[in-house]
């Protein structure tokens, strides 16, 4: 899980960058831009669901900051 999450995050950023490229190149009328944005949304949903499942199955643990403790 240490490597999967950063790799998927990089894929999301790359997809967003390619959508920006196709938007600038095609003046916003490119089907490649729409495909890149759909891919980004799919990757984001998959990453979120994967994190939830990994937490549910105990592959990752919550280690957040404890609020209200003295």
């Amino acid at each position: 899980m240490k490597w999967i999450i950063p790799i998927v995050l990089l894929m999301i950023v790359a997809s967003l960058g390619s959508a920006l490229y196709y938007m600038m190149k095609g003046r916003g009328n490119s089907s490649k831009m729409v495909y890149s944005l759909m891919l980004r949304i799919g990757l984001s949903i998959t990453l979120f669901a994967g994190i939830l499942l990994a937490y549910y199955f105990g592959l990752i643990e919550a280690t957040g900051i404890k609020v209200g403790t003295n």
Side-chain angles (χ1 to χ4, degrees):
M1 289 307 292
K2 279 184 178 180
W3 294 101
I4 293 173
I5 294 172
I7 289 171
V8 174
L9 283 172
L10 287 175
M11 290 171 59
I12 290 170
V13 171
S15 176
L16 189 59
S18 68
L20 176 65
Y21 172 76
Y22 290 126
M23 183 178 72
M24 292 296 161
K25 181 181 172 189
R27 305 278 186 225
N29 297 326
S30 174
S31 62
K32 291 181 181 181
M33 179 190 70
V34 174
Y35 176 75
S36 293
L37 291 174
M38 287 188 337
L39 179 66
R40 182 185 65 91
I41 291 170
L43 285 171
S44 299
I45 291 170
T46 303
L47 178 64
F48 185 73
I51 289 172
L52 286 177
L53 286 172
Y55 178 74
Y56 179 75
F57 290 117
L59 298 173
I60 58 175
E61 296 178 0
T63 59
I65 300 171
K66 299 196 186 289
V67 178
T69 59
N70 293 329

